[in-house]
Amino acid sequence: MATNLYEVSGLCVDVKYLIMGFLANNVYIISDGEGTMVVDPSCNADKILAALEGTKLDAIVLTHGHSDHVGAAAALREATGAPVIASAIEAAAIENPAANVVDDDPVPCPVDRAVAHGDVVQVGNMKWKVIATPGHTKGSICLFNIPQFGNHPEGLPVLVSGDTLFAGTIGRTDFEGGSMDEMRASLKKLAALPDDTAVLPGHNSLTTIGAERRRVFALFGDPE
């Protein structure tokens, strides 16, 4: 059993996560019993493989191309054969990250499927709607799944938010490709989701859309 593996209850799908790397990234293992995906494998592919406990990996999803979110993607892809999925805008930076100024030691990784806003990423019976959320990077994406497409229909809908939305704050916009104007527009998209949506961010504590409506959306969102 991998150490530091946390389980989240009450969601429409099964979610476990590891906290990994010097930036304390949340690395998610999400399954509906029919398919399994890993989101933002930060580092140490062996530890992620141990956390899978022999479960077949069907997809590796990258919310954006910063090294603390993709550092183990290539190794995990090689070990499992799972396809790597990322936004079309971000794919070049993931495949050839040498110019990515926030990366100290970038590891290039092939992107097997490039997605855009409105696309659906199906893993098992889960159908994750891709939401383009530029602001932290040009090609940042979030993914949203509703209980209809989960193995726990009584559970909460789920948003994988990467470094766009955190508990009580947002991702930095001062990196190359960042934009506060774009971030505000992206937050407005997320604010349209139901209040009971569980938010799985790239760092720090899990939250909900309802909690952030009173905090992040009120503070950073576009004024009506």
Side-chain angles (χ1 to χ4, degrees):
M1 173 70 69
T3 58
N4 237 21
L5 181 62
Y6 304 93
E7 187 167 352
V8 187
S9 60
L11 309 187
C12 67
V13 290
D14 297 324
V15 176
K16 298 178 181 180
Y17 68 101
L18 295 152
I19 300 175
M20 305 185 71
F22 72 99
L23 291 178
N25 287 70
N26 297 330
V27 178
Y28 295 101
I29 299 171
I30 304 177
S31 178
D32 68 346
E34 300 294 328
T36 299
M37 67 186 197
V38 166
V39 179
D40 289 352
S42 173
C43 60
N44 197 333
D46 288 341
K47 187 173 181 179
I48 299 170
L49 288 167
L52 285 166
E53 298 181 304
T55 301
K56 177 180 179 291
L57 184 61
D58 299 291
I60 301 163
V61 178
L62 308 178
T63 62
H64 64 289
H66 287 165
S67 63
D68 61 315
H69 291 256
V70 307
L76 198 60
R77 177 181 182 269
E78 183 175 357
T80 65
V84 171
I85 301 168
S87 77
I89 295 171
E90 210 80 353
I94 294 167
E95 293 185 329
N96 183 24
N100 192 339
V101 295
V102 304
D103 292 347
D104 294 325
D105 187 22
V107 180
C109 178
V111 173
D112 299 290
R113 180 184 173 193
V115 296
H117 182 73
D119 286 349
V120 173
V121 173
Q122 181 158 355
V123 180
N125 295 319
M126 298 179 287
K127 294 184 179 181
W128 294 88
K129 185 73 170 289
V130 176
I131 305 172
T133 53
H136 182 62
T137 67
K138 286 291 185 186
S140 288
I141 57 172
C142 296
L143 297 102
F144 179 60
N145 189 70
I146 60 175
Q148 179 183 351
F149 302 118
N151 56 324
H152 304 294
E154 75 288 352
L156 301 179
V158 175
L159 177 77
V160 174
S161 65
D163 280 4
T164 297
L165 177 62
F166 298 129
T169 190
I170 61 172
R172 291 176 60 173
T173 60
D174 58 337
F175 290 133
E176 180 75 22
S179 164
M180 180 54 77
D181 287 343
E182 289 183 337
M183 178 64 81
R184 289 183 190 278
S186 293
L187 293 172
K188 194 168 185 178
K189 296 177 188 176
L190 300 186
L193 300 177
D195 278 356
D196 66 348
T197 302
V199 177
L200 310 183
H203 304 267
N204 303 323
S205 301
L206 280 58
T207 184
T208 66
I209 289 294
E212 300 319 317
R213 194 174 308 287
R214 300 187 296 272
R215 301 189 296 188
V216 166
F217 300 141
L219 182 61
F220 294 101
D222 271 338
E224 294 295 338

